[in-house]
Amino acid sequence: MWRPGSWRTAWLGETSMRLFAVRKQAIYGWPGGAPQGRPLADVQFERITRSNLLRVGEARADPPTAAFAAAVKSTADIGLFAMKGGRVVGHGWVRKIPGPRRTRPEHIRVPETSCLIRNCYVSLDCRGQGVYRALLVQLALAAASEWPERWILIDTEVSNMASRRGIVGAGFEPVGMVRALQICGRFIIQDWNKA
Ligand SMILES: CC(C)(COP(=O)(O)OP(=O)(O)OC[C@H]1O[C@@H](n2cnc3c(N)ncnc32)[C@H](O)[C@@H]1OP(=O)(O)O)[C@@H](O)C(=O)NCCC(=O)NCCS
């Protein structure tokens, strides 16, 4: 049903995502060493590959299948599914920066000596059970094993408290904050403040 202002809202909402964005992200780093806490007994992890990537549809109604299809072709990306009772209930990726050109720009710029954990998600019905925390530990261990010389980073929007608590719970330590102005996909200003 049409409501006053709905066209304008729809147009601005749609285009502002692409043309203009202001982001404030909290950045955390993996300290290395053994992970804290015990692994979750009922959660398993599986590498995302060409043959299983469509299973992302088990975790969410809006599966980002095209992004997964691009990432599995890249040797700079590792993706993991979190599984419970044989069902995919979450996913996450870690990218050796800078990663493939066709899927840039990243939503933040991080040092070229780093890996960035990104695109993490847990099914609505499995949230609050520690799946994210466990997934982050597995992603960090996978990146540390594949790219031992790299700094492993993760960022999240400052307002995303579930994500921030999960990141800290997984053992990551605050590194700083980034405030970025992005216009037409290009970063115009990006400020790092150390934690
Ligand atoms: C963020 C997200 C991945 C968390 O998944 P999850 O499996 O529910 O997280 P966990 O169960 O491991 O919980 C992590 C922490 O967040 C807390 N938490 C969970 N839901 C919360 C909420 N809605 N608000 C505040 N804190 C919350 C948990 O209590 C836990 O903190 P604690 O260890 O201090 O108790 C999930 O909410 C999600 O997929 N969100 C949409 C996508 C997203 O935001 N991805 C992350 C982008 S970086």
Side-chain angles (χ1 to χ4, degrees):
M1 191 180 81
W2 185 84
R3 292 185 311 279
S6 61
W7 287 111
R8 191 182 55 174
T9 308
W11 187 82
L12 281 175
E14 176 70 17
T15 55
S16 65
M17 290 293 287
R18 294 178 192 153
L19 295 181
F20 174 83
V22 179
R23 295 179 175 272
K24 194 166 177 202
Q25 305 289 119
I27 320 286
Y28 299 83
W30 181 249
Q36 299 172 359
R38 279 187 302 166
L40 286 181
D42 60 342
V43 180
Q44 295 81 42
F45 298 93
E46 197 172 287
R47 185 88 178 245
I48 302 174
T49 64
R50 281 173 210 229
S51 54
N52 69 6
L53 70 90
L54 292 178
R55 292 193 65 188
V56 62
E58 296 170 22
R60 56 195 291 180
D62 58 340
T65 319
F68 278 32
V72 291
K73 288 188 201 149
S74 147
T75 53
D77 290 273
I78 298 172
L80 293 180
F81 280 139
M83 325 269 300
K84 246 184 161 180
R87 176 191 149 211
V88 172
V89 297
H91 62 72
W93 291 85
V94 56
R95 165 168 289 185
K96 184 181 177 192
I97 299 298
R101 184 170 290 279
R102 70 184 178 284
T103 54
R104 280 185 237 159
E106 292 288 354
H107 55 292
I108 61 160
R109 241 183 347 223
V110 291
E112 298 237 336
T113 49
S114 63
C115 311
L116 185 65
I117 295 180
R118 56 205 286 276
N119 205 349
C120 293
Y121 183 91
V122 172
S123 305
L124 289 171
D125 63 323
C126 290
R127 289 188 185 172
Q129 300 168 23
V131 174
Y132 181 51
R133 218 175 329 147
L135 175 63
L136 292 180
V137 170
Q138 289 304 312
L139 285 166
L141 293 177
S145 150
E146 192 86 6
W147 305 301
E149 76 290 357
R150 293 279 178 140
W151 193 20
I152 302 166
L153 297 174
I154 182 167
D155 72 290
T156 190
E157 289 197 14
V158 165
S159 59
N160 192 341
M161 286 317 293
S163 180
R164 290 178 69 183
R165 286 177 63 166
I167 291 168
V168 171
F172 286 78
E173 294 171 350
V175 167
M177 297 275 181
V178 169
R179 199 193 303 264
L181 174 62
Q182 198 179 12
I183 297 178
C184 297
R186 293 189 59 184
F187 294 101
I188 306 302
I189 303 171
Q190 193 165 74
D191 287 334
W192 272 69
N193 297 311
K194 290 215 172 79

